[in-house]
Amino acid sequence: MFQLKTVASWVAVAMWAMALAACASVERIPYTPQEQAAARVPGFTDVRGWADDPNIASRYAGIVTRQPTMLALSGGGADGAFGAGFLTGWTARGNRPQFTVVTGASAGALMAPFAFLGPGYDEVLKSVFASGEMENFLQFAGVGGLFGTGLFKAGPLRDLIAKYVDANTLEAVASEYRAGRRLFIVTTDLDSQRTAIWDMGRIASSGQPGALDLFRKVMEASASIPGIFSPVLIDVEADGKRFAEMHVDGGVTANILVVPEAILLAKKPLLPAGVKPRIYAILNGKLGPYFEVVKPTTLQIAVRAFATSVRANTRNTLLASYEFIRRRNWDLNLAAIDDSFPNQEKPGFDTGYMRGLFEYGYERGRSGQMWQRSPADSMEQPRGPRVASQ
């Protein structure tokens, strides 16, 4: 959920710390790939799928419109302030649609439920990303962090989610789910190295006493960078055996979810003929590569390599999704932070930087000059942004 450069710095430190503490671990119940394939969250029916599962298309069942609108929100850490501001500015412009499907990964997962619920929750987005609530997010866990499962305390992230996701929020999501709308949040299952897609509306509408806790856990997991924050263990059951899956930041495998992997590869149509989705993707970061002379040290080389990998994977994911969408004559609209916007100078969640980025995003959303034609635009000579078709 961090800005790429910040992520890279802390991941490099985390890798060093974990190398020193390789003998320390959390006690877990071992399980097999076959048991995971059969695993279900106790008390919940079909709330978690996999991006590479050919049956993932069934997650879209129940959508009741001939022209669904989809919103995909990426990871980005402090840069999530861009997406929060963008959505709020789009509301002020007056033509923000009600999204049929919303997906979120990492920082995008923290805003996805509120983007899903609509403009009435814009103040929550502003509070989370532009009020300074994240300023003290990085609280070092001390020696326990060095020899445990995360360098920083999970409490601040967990408390932030609990503050804004309560029983009323859960019921609001459930109501929209019953109306045919879908909210998905992405996590990474470290055990299987697969992208998990959680049906948050199904969780919210389950009526189970643990629904609110599971909803919050999924959000926390999606924003928990491994080594930085502790992984989130989610209890599952297979053939009477109880064990826990280890879930971390969705951005590890899917920094933005536009079209799931299995659907990209599927030969049969996802939607009936005549259904033409309109897809909006908000990238909480800069899409194109940026030049920087790398210092010849092990740490700086590792940091730069990690940041390059995440950026390239995000760009390639968007290019693959764009090609899939283009061939079907669907409509894709992409917004990203312009290369000219100054980078954050210090790591973490600087309030001044996030407020400035929120205002920048707000003006972008309100202006109407909001969208790029394709992910390739930022890799070519600069062009003017366009107004999305309505």
Side-chain angles (χ1 to χ4, degrees):
M1 61 173 290
F2 293 93
Q3 184 185 28
L4 287 178
K5 195 171 182 180
T6 305
V7 172
S9 299
W10 285 116
V11 166
V13 174
M15 290 171 63
W16 169 78
M18 287 186 289
L20 294 178
C23 61
S25 63
V26 174
E27 290 295 327
R28 300 186 64 203
I29 298 173
Y31 63 99
T32 66
Q34 294 74 24
E35 287 170 332
Q36 189 195 46
R40 300 292 182 269
V41 180
F44 295 86
T45 303
D46 201 26
V47 295
R48 189 259 286 116
W50 305 102
D52 59 358
D53 183 352
N55 295 317
I56 194 64
S58 64
R59 299 282 165 184
Y60 295 85
I63 294 175
V64 289
T65 178
R66 296 297 293 175
Q67 189 178 46
T69 57
M70 175 181 174
L71 173 68
L73 298 164
S74 85
D79 284 350
F82 169 72
F86 189 96
L87 287 166
T88 305
W90 196 357
T91 297
R93 180 169 175 78
N95 62 348
R96 175 177 156 184
Q98 182 186 65
F99 303 109
T100 315
V101 179
V102 175
T103 71
S106 196
L110 297 184
M111 67 181 75
F114 312 112
F116 177 76
L117 293 175
Y121 287 78
D122 282 356
E123 283 302 313
V124 174
L125 291 176
K126 186 174 182 179
S127 293
V128 171
F129 286 95
S131 70
E133 290 206 47
M134 292 185 175
E135 185 78 46
N136 297 315
F137 241 31
L138 302 183
Q139 297 182 18
F140 185 51
V143 175
L146 288 174
F147 294 91
T149 57
L151 288 176
F152 296 95
K153 297 177 181 179
L157 171 60
R158 195 172 296 144
D159 291 344
L160 181 70
I161 293 170
K163 178 178 178 179
Y164 292 107
V165 178
D166 57 16
N168 290 332
T169 310
L170 197 74
E171 178 50 39
V173 171
S175 178
E176 296 302 326
Y177 174 80
R178 289 189 287 266
R181 299 175 62 220
R182 298 292 180 262
L183 170 63
F184 301 120
I185 284 179
V186 174
T187 65
T188 298
D189 184 303
L190 276 188
D191 297 324
S192 65
Q193 297 184 322
R194 299 173 79 189
T195 301
I197 301 177
W198 295 85
D199 191 334
M200 306 302 282
R202 187 179 286 270
I203 293 172
S205 63
S206 67
Q208 292 296 316
L212 180 58
D213 181 59
L214 179 60
F215 196 102
R216 290 170 171 173
K217 274 189 173 183
V218 172
M219 291 182 65
E220 179 189 348
S222 187
S224 294
I225 289 188
I228 305 302
F229 295 114
S230 294
V232 175
L233 297 175
I234 297 180
D235 292 330
V236 296
E237 182 180 47
D239 300 324
K241 178 180 178 178
R242 293 286 184 104
F243 53 93
E245 297 174 344
M246 180 180 281
H247 289 264
V248 298
D249 196 315
V252 172
T253 52
N255 197 42
I256 187 167
L257 180 67
V258 180
V259 183
E261 176 185 341
I263 294 175
L264 286 173
L265 300 174
K267 295 181 179 179
K268 60 182 180 180
L270 167 63
L271 298 172
V275 176
K276 301 292 184 183
R278 179 171 294 147
I279 300 171
Y280 302 93
I282 298 178
L283 182 67
N284 293 301
K286 297 176 181 178
L287 185 57
Y290 66 93
F291 179 82
E292 179 179 292
V293 177
V294 181
K295 294 180 180 179
T297 67
T298 301
L299 180 60
Q300 291 299 320
I301 291 169
V303 165
R304 180 67 169 178
F306 182 86
T308 300
S309 176
V310 173
R311 190 178 297 271
N313 287 339
T314 301
R315 186 167 64 245
N316 290 338
T317 295
L318 286 170
L319 286 168
S321 298
Y322 167 73
E323 186 60 24
F324 178 93
I325 290 164
R326 184 193 63 79
R327 290 200 305 266
R328 286 154 181 78
N329 199 30
W330 297 355
D331 185 23
L332 174 67
N333 305 281
L334 172 65
I337 300 172
D338 190 80
D339 288 346
S340 63
F341 192 87
N343 292 322
Q344 185 173 207
E345 294 183 358
K346 55 185 179 180
F349 297 87
D350 179 69
T351 300
Y353 172 80
M354 293 180 71
R355 283 176 178 164
L357 187 55
F358 181 93
E359 291 303 321
Y360 164 77
Y362 180 91
E363 291 303 323
R364 280 279 302 277
R366 189 178 66 168
S367 70
Q369 299 297 312
M370 303 158 65
W371 307 103
Q372 295 177 198
R373 297 173 179 85
S374 80
D377 282 1
S378 66
M379 291 177 277
E380 301 170 354
Q381 293 300 316
R383 306 184 197 172
R386 68 183 176 94
V387 180
S389 55
Q390 298 296 328

